Structures are given as C-alpha cells and as structure tokens.
C-alpha cells in the first residue's frame, strides 16, 4: 500500500489528474490517495497558494502527484515552493519521439536533468523603480549533487552512456564556472561515461539540428526549464512531456505543462504527460514492471492514431484516450 499525495491544482491540472487516478485505480497495486490543495483557486479560498497542510501531506506520503497551477499575481509559485520544501533537487524530464507523432527526427531519446532548487529560480529579487536585480545562486554542493544524479542515470540507461553539461560560463564566469567545474569533478568518478559541455545558446540549436546525439543533459534551473520545453516541442508538444522531481527523501511527479486556461473545461486536454508522470512515480516506487506497462500502453495508443486528443491531431476527449490507455 502506497500513500500518494494528490495535488490537482487548477485548470487542466484537475482534468489530467482525474485520468491518472482513474488509471492507477485499475492497477493491481493498492494506493491510499490523500487529496490536498494548492494553486490559484486554493489562494482565493484559503489566502495561500500552498497551505502548510498540503506540504505536511506531501512530506508524509510515499510520493506526490501534482497537476498544474495557474500563477497568482503577487504570490510565490506553489510548485517551486513545494519542490523546495520537499528538497527534491533533481528535475528529470525525459524526451522521446513517439511512433506516429510528428517529430523533428525519429529516434530521439534523451533526458534533461535540471537543478531544481537554486539558480535564477531562487526567487530572490529586489530593487526600486529604476533598477531591479535577480540573484542567481549556484552552490558547489547543489551542482555536484545534480551532476551525480546525471551520471548515475546515464549508467542506468542503455543508450550512449553520455552526459552533456549545459552552461554559459563564458559570460556567467563565476556561477557557471562553479557549475561546470562541479560537473567535471563528478565525471572523474565515472570514467566509462563520455562527457561533453556546451554553451546554452549553442545547445538550443543542437537540440534542433542533432537531437538524436544526446542521452543525458544536465543543466542549471532556468536553462533546464527552457531547454525542456524546447525539447518537448521537438517530439509532439507538452501533451507528451512528463517529469519527476527527486530528492533523498521525496519524489514529486508532474506534467511539464501548466494549467492551460485556453482549453480548461473543454475536456480535451491530453492526459498522457500526467499519466507518464504517474509511470515515473511507479518507477521511483520500485514498481518497474507496471511503470513500463503504462509507458508501453501510452505508446501503443498514440501510435495507433485512432484515439487522440486535438493537440495530437485527433478529436478524442481526455477520458476517451484515458480509457484506451487503461484498456
Ligand atoms: P501551458 O503549459 O499551460 O500551455 C501552453 C500551451 O500548451 C497552451 O496552448 C495549452 O493549451 C497547451 N497545452 C498544455 N498542456 C496541454 C495538454 N495536456 N493537452 C493539450 N494541450 C496542452 O502554459 P501557459 O499557457 O504558459 O501557462 C498557463 C498557466 O499555467 C499560467 O498561469 C502559468 O503560470 C501556469 N504554469 C504552471 C506550471 C505548473 O504548475 N507546473 C507550469 C507552466 C505554467
Ligand atoms: Mg516550465
């Protein structure tokens, strides 16, 4: 029996979470779902985007599933705060081309490992009317930890055994100097794994011109965020982009997409990114076989082309594709 915190959030977060719960309920694994609130609607109700009770439930569960939240003016982001409070310092974003889905190249299969707790997302900003400053915090400790995760992952993957470090150390000499140094320090422990590093601007291009050459990509917070949305675009969009946030004691799994107010309430959101995030959660919990079955089921339904949501060119509803995946 696993205790799973369920934080649906706003907009399509709620719709795709219903799909994930529907699917998890059909498995031969027992879950105790603990529902908790966060996001814009939660703020309007409770005056906070992330109640203490929600953090408590997430901390005491075996893993957490998060849908998506709409940003609240003047309020901190609940998901960034939750990641911090759970100390889930590694954001894992697998990118894969799917059969039957328009992709820039076939055979794309890499994973972005994004540092999740510092960088430009430290949310330390100050200034006056004329000048505003954002602090970019990079520590050796966090940089080494994220590189370690990247190398461990590369060892586990069957593919190329390569880790690519992305930075901008020619301009951000101090902060990305530390990030790059930490990467090569950890690399010494993994002599069997190939290493390379690129500036983030060049990398943004290489992802378009040679995406099949990458295996594990490690980067700081903002660069990793931007590159992972770009990468999702290479292989069919945000509807197929899951993610996991891993720390030493907690795991938090969420689709890369937001609350999509433009399609919320229309029941046409693609639940695959949420369902694939649930599969990553099962992998984290050690339920490898079931995690794999879910991934294969999503691949099969998507490749089949018959039941697809509008973002993938079909006219199926969220629940129709969910049922097809369950079947
Ligand atoms: P978004 O990811 O919500 O939507 C971008 C575009 O992709 C929209 O056209 C949307 O319809 C489409 N899309 C996203 N997910 C989809 C799905 N599952 N199926 C079909 N189409 C999908 O990003 P946007 O519009 O920039 O942000 C909307 C709100 O979400 C904002 O308030 C933003 O702050 C918030 N947000 C929250 C995130 C989170 O909670 N982790 C992440 C990103 C944005
Ligand atoms: Mg993002």
């Amino acid at each position: 029996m696993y205790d799973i915190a369920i934080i649906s959030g706003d907009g399509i977060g709620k719709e795709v979470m219903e799909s994930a719960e529907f699917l998890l309920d059909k498995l031969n694994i027992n879950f105790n779902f603990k529902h908790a609130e966060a996001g814009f609607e939660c703020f309007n109700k409770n005056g906070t985007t992330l109640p203490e009770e929600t953090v408590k439930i997430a901390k005491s569960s075996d893993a957490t599933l998060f849908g998506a939240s709409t940003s609240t003016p003047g309020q901190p982001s609940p998901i960034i705060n939750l990641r911090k409070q759970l100390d889930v310092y590694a954001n894992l974003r697998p990118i894969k081309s799917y059969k039957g889905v328009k992709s820039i190249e076939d055979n794309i299969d890499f994973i972005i490992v994004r540092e999740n707790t510092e960088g430009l997302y430290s949310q330390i900003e100050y200034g006056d009317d004329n000048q505003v400053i954002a602090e970019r915090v990079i520590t050796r400790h966090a940089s080494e930890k994220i590189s370690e995760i990247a190398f461990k992952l590369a060892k586990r993957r069957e593919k190329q055994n390569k880790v690519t470090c992305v930075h901008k150390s020619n301009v951000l000499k101090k902060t990305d100097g530390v990030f790059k140094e930490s990467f090569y320090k950890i690399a010494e422990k993994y002599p069997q794994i190939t290493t390379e590093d690129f500036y983030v601007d060049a990398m943004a291009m290489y992802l378009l011109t040679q995406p099949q050459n990458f295996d594990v990509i490690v980067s700081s917070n903002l660069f990793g965020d931007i590159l992972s949305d770009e990468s999702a675009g290479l292989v069919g969009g945000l509807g197929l982009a899951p993610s996991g946030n891993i720390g030493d004691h907690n795991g938090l799994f969420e689709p890369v997409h937001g609350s999509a107010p433009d399609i919320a309430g229309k029941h046409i959101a693609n639940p695959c990114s949420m369902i694939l995030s649930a599969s990553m959660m099962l992998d984290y919990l050690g339920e490898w076989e079931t995690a794999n079955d879910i991934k294969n089921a999503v691949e099969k339904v998507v490749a089949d082309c018959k039941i697809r949501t509008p973002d993938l060119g079909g006219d199926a509803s969220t629940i129709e594709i969910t049922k097809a995946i369950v079947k």
Side-chain angles (χ1 to χ4, degrees):
M1 166 81 89
Y2 296 107
D3 283 342
I4 306 296
I6 301 277
I7 308 169
S8 304
D10 303 306
I12 66 163
K14 287 187 276 198
E15 298 165 34
V16 297
M17 188 66 86
E18 260 179 42
S19 291
E21 279 189 74
F22 181 81
L23 178 134
L24 290 171
D25 259 337
K26 301 278 186 280
L27 303 175
N28 281 329
I29 301 172
N30 286 328
F31 298 103
N32 175 24
F33 295 132
K34 298 166 150 188
H35 293 90
E37 293 175 304
F40 180 70
E41 275 181 28
C42 170
F43 177 78
N44 287 337
K45 200 170 131 201
N46 307 307
T48 167
T49 54
L50 184 67
E52 265 314 303
E53 179 62 15
T54 298
V55 178
K56 219 170 98 189
I57 290 172
K59 275 188 177 164
S60 64
S61 297
D62 296 303
T64 298
L65 283 178
F66 185 90
S69 66
T70 302
S71 65
T72 310
Q75 292 299 313
S77 156
I79 184 64
I80 294 178
N81 271 352
L82 188 61
R83 288 176 191 149
K84 251 191 211 153
Q85 301 224 38
L86 296 180
D87 196 20
V88 281
Y89 52 83
N91 187 201
L92 312 180
R93 297 184 164 188
I95 303 290
K96 208 168 135 28
S97 48
Y98 285 86
K99 229 169 125 189
V101 178
K102 196 162 169 258
S103 172
I104 200 160
E105 295 273 353
D106 296 335
N107 305 323
I108 297 176
D109 185 6
F110 60 82
I111 182 161
I112 295 182
V113 179
R114 161 192 173 198
E115 203 292 322
N116 221 5
T117 59
E118 49 183 44
L120 261 178
Y121 283 20
S122 308
Q123 298 190 94
I124 307 169
E125 293 188 303
Y126 49 86
D128 54 34
D129 268 0
N130 300 313
Q131 175 173 290
V132 280
I133 295 167
E135 285 189 3
R136 185 169 193 266
V137 180
I138 300 281
T139 63
R140 229 170 257 284
H141 178 70
S143 303
E144 287 181 9
K145 257 181 24 179
I146 200 68
S147 284
E148 187 85 55
I149 292 265
F151 281 100
K152 276 194 183 143
L153 251 173
K155 246 177 103 176
R156 236 188 101 181
R157 286 163 63 86
E158 288 153 11
K159 218 193 160 193
Q160 305 170 11
N161 262 312
K162 184 166 85 172
V163 185
T164 307
C165 173
V166 181
H167 57 85
K168 188 68 182 171
S169 68
N170 53 337
V171 177
L172 301 165
K173 289 188 167 47
K174 279 194 196 287
T175 47
D176 270 2
V178 165
F179 192 78
K180 187 176 153 187
E181 263 171 46
S182 306
F183 170 74
Y184 281 110
K185 181 182 165 196
I186 300 300
E188 285 173 16
K189 296 204 288 184
Y190 299 87
Q192 71 281 31
I193 293 175
T194 310
T195 53
E196 62 185 7
D197 71 276
F198 293 122
Y199 296 133
V200 63
D201 40 357
M203 186 66 184
M205 183 187 71
Y206 295 146
L207 282 172
L208 298 173
T209 56
Q210 42 177 288
Q212 62 289 58
N213 285 347
F214 298 109
D215 184 14
V216 177
I217 297 167
V218 63
S219 196
S220 54
N221 210 334
L222 177 63
F223 295 163
D225 195 14
I226 295 171
L227 294 181
S228 55
D229 274 33
E230 179 191 354
S231 303
L234 300 180
V235 295
L238 289 171
L240 286 167
S243 84
N245 305 271
I246 315 279
D248 295 331
H249 306 290
N250 293 293
L252 165 65
F253 300 84
E254 45 161 341
V256 171
H257 64 73
S259 61
D262 53 337
I263 59 163
K266 294 185 180 161
H267 308 288
I268 53 164
N270 186 346
C272 290
S273 8
M274 185 77 239
I275 287 173
L276 290 168
S277 304
S279 155
M280 287 180 81
M281 177 187 80
L282 291 172
D283 191 57
Y284 166 83
L285 292 171
E287 301 286 351
W288 301 298
E289 224 182 291
T290 313
N292 223 26
D293 286 348
I294 295 173
K295 254 192 323 206
N296 290 339
V298 170
E299 253 172 60
K300 195 161 169 238
V301 168
V302 168
D304 203 25
C305 296
K306 278 190 244 139
I307 302 170
R308 284 179 170 192
T309 41
D311 59 308
L312 297 179
D315 59 4
S317 68
T318 307
I319 193 66
E320 276 165 350
I321 188 169
T322 305
K323 282 184 175 161
I325 294 165
V326 167
K327 195 173 159 208

